[in-house]
Amino acid sequence: MSIIILGIESSCDDTSAAIIKDGLLLSNVIASQKVHEEYGGVVPELASRAHQQNIVPVVDSAIKRAGIDKKDISAIAFTRGPGLLGSLLVGTSFAKGLSLGLRIPIVDVNHLHGHVLSHFIRQKQDDIVPEYPFLCLLISGGNSQIILVKGYNDMEVLGQTIDDAAGEAFDKCAKVMGLPYPGGPHIDRLAKEGDSSRFKFAKPHIPGYNYSFSGLKTSFLYTLRDAKKLNPNFIEENMTDLAASLQKTIIDILLDKLKKAVEATGVKQVAIGGGVSANSGVRQAIADFCDKRGIKAFIPERAFTTDNAAMVAIAGYYKYLSGDFCHYDEVPFARTTI
C-alpha cells in the first residue's frame, strides 16, 4: 500500500502544501504574500491573517494537482517551528483538525530539518540524493549554519551565526541602498553586472565554525554614509559594484568556515539549503568549491530553496516510516536549533 504524505508549511509569509507518494513529489503549491513589500519586511499579524485565507485553497489545490483523494492520505506533516508563532498556529491547527476529520496521524517537522532534507525530494525515481554523512550549509534570512548530517534525524550543528544571518545581511544592506524588500534577489541581479573587487568590507574573525555578519553590515553602512557626504549620488552611481562587492564578501565568509568544516570532517559531499541558496553567486561558488576539492555538490532547485511544503512532506515521510508521530497536545515553537 502506498504511503501518501500531505505536507503543510506556514512558518513565515508563504502558505504551502505538497503531496509526496512513496517518496516521490506529486505536487507543491505555494501562495506568497505581497502585502509585506510596502513595509520593508514581514508583518507577523498580516502574515497569520493571510495564512488563514490561503490554507484551505492551497491544500485543496495540492490534493487536486496530485490526482489523489483526501481519503488516500496516510499522514499530515506540518511545520511546528521555528517561525512566527501566529503563522505556525494556523498551519498546526489546520493539520490537527484535518487529521481528526480523516482519522490519520500527524507528524511535526522542524523547519530547519526540512531545508536540510529538501535534497531528498525526488521528482522521479532515478534522482540522485546525498549519502550520509554530508555537510549542509543552511543559509537563509534567519539562519546560517554548518550542519553535519548523519541521518534524517541525526544532525549536528558544527557552527552557526552569533548575530545576523547571511540573508539578513543581504536584506539590510539592500535596504540602505534603497532596494525593495526582499533585497537579496535584487543584490544578486545587480552583482552580475558589477566589479566585485571594487570595494572592501569588514570580514569577521570568529573562532571555530561560527558566523557573524553584523560587522559586515556595519562596515557597509559606514562606507555608504561617508561616501555620500562627498557625493550624494554615490549609491546610484556605484550600485552594481556595491552589490557585487557585498555579495563576494558574504560568499567569502561562508566558504571560509565551510572549508574548515570539510577539512575537519573529511566528508565527500556538501549540500546547501535555505533561501540564500537561490543566490546565483552562492550557487556557483559552492559548485566551484566542491569541484576544486573533488567532492560532490548538492545544489537544490530554486523552487526548493525558499519555504515550501515539499521539504516538510519529505521530512514527514521519513518520520512516518519510523513511526515518529506527533501528539495533539504539541504546540508550535518560535525558536530552536537543529
Side-chain angles (χ1 to χ4, degrees):
M1 185 175 179
S2 294
I3 298 173
I4 298 177
I5 305 296
L6 164 63
I8 295 175
E9 157 62 20
S10 67
S11 64
C12 191
D13 61 335
D14 287 330
T15 312
S16 182
I19 299 290
I20 280 183
K21 179 180 180 180
D22 296 330
L24 290 179
L25 181 66
L26 300 185
S27 66
N28 187 36
V29 179
I30 303 174
S32 298
Q33 302 175 7
K34 299 294 185 182
V35 66
H36 307 285
E37 292 180 1
E38 62 181 291
Y39 298 99
V42 177
V43 181
E45 178 62 24
L46 295 179
S48 58
R49 291 182 183 181
H51 283 303
Q52 290 178 320
Q53 295 175 336
N54 293 336
I55 194 162
V56 172
V58 165
V59 170
D60 182 63
S61 179
I63 292 172
K64 288 179 178 176
R65 292 186 190 183
I68 66 166
D69 187 274
K70 62 179 179 294
K71 295 180 181 178
D72 300 326
I73 299 171
S74 307
I76 302 170
F78 67 96
T79 301
R80 188 174 156 217
L84 301 175
L85 276 179
S87 296
L88 290 166
L89 275 168
V90 176
T92 300
S93 300
F94 183 88
K96 290 179 179 179
L98 185 58
S99 75
L100 286 170
L102 297 176
R103 297 185 179 180
I104 56 177
I106 51 175
V107 180
D108 61 320
V109 172
N110 184 306
H111 181 78
L112 305 183
H113 282 198
H115 276 302
V116 174
L117 295 177
S118 65
H119 296 279
F120 292 86
I121 299 170
R122 286 186 171 98
Q123 299 182 75
K124 52 185 185 296
Q125 286 289 356
D126 58 353
D127 283 347
I128 299 174
V129 298
E131 296 179 359
Y132 302 117
F134 65 93
L135 282 177
C136 181
L137 177 61
L138 178 57
I139 38 179
S140 66
N143 299 279
S144 293
Q145 299 179 327
I146 298 177
I147 305 163
L148 179 60
V149 186
K150 306 171 188 176
Y152 86 90
N153 61 349
D154 187 3
M155 304 182 191
E156 178 186 357
V157 177
L158 302 182
Q160 59 188 333
T161 182
I162 61 175
D163 43 56
D164 287 349
E168 288 177 294
F170 273 121
D171 287 341
K172 290 177 180 178
C173 291
K175 186 173 184 178
V176 175
M177 294 170 66
L179 297 173
Y181 174 85
H186 296 285
I187 295 291
D188 188 19
R189 172 179 54 82
L190 292 167
K192 295 174 183 177
E193 304 173 11
D195 179 2
S196 62
S197 63
R198 175 82 183 284
F199 299 102
K200 302 296 181 183
F201 302 114
K203 295 181 181 179
H205 299 282
I206 307 298
Y209 306 115
N210 285 338
Y211 286 114
S212 171
F213 290 96
S214 62
L216 165 63
K217 181 186 65 179
T218 302
S219 172
F220 187 84
L221 176 63
Y222 285 167
T223 297
L224 267 59
R225 184 197 63 181
D226 294 342
K228 286 183 68 175
K229 291 178 180 178
L230 300 175
N231 177 9
N233 299 319
F234 174 80
I235 295 177
E236 292 77 8
E237 294 174 1
N238 298 277
M239 188 75 76
T240 57
D241 290 347
L242 284 168
S245 300
L246 172 67
Q247 181 165 287
K248 183 178 185 302
T249 304
I250 292 176
I251 291 172
D252 288 347
I253 294 171
L254 291 170
L255 292 187
D256 177 63
K257 297 304 179 79
L258 181 62
K259 177 183 177 182
K260 293 180 180 179
V262 168
E263 292 173 348
T265 59
V267 299
K268 298 301 180 183
Q269 298 175 101
V270 168
I272 57 174
V276 179
S277 65
N279 180 283
S280 59
V282 170
R283 296 167 76 88
Q284 187 60 55
I286 290 294
D288 293 342
F289 174 89
C290 291
D291 183 63
K292 182 179 178 181
R293 290 162 178 78
I295 58 180
K296 176 68 175 176
F298 284 89
I299 301 172
E301 290 186 21
R302 283 186 167 84
F304 302 138
T305 58
T306 55
D307 296 344
N308 66 92
M311 69 182 192
V312 177
I314 194 63
Y317 173 72
Y318 288 115
K319 294 189 74 172
Y320 180 91
L321 293 178
S322 299
D324 188 2
F325 302 123
C326 177
H327 296 290
Y328 287 104
D329 58 358
E330 298 287 0
V331 296
F333 53 87
R335 295 182 179 274
T336 187
T337 60
I338 289 290

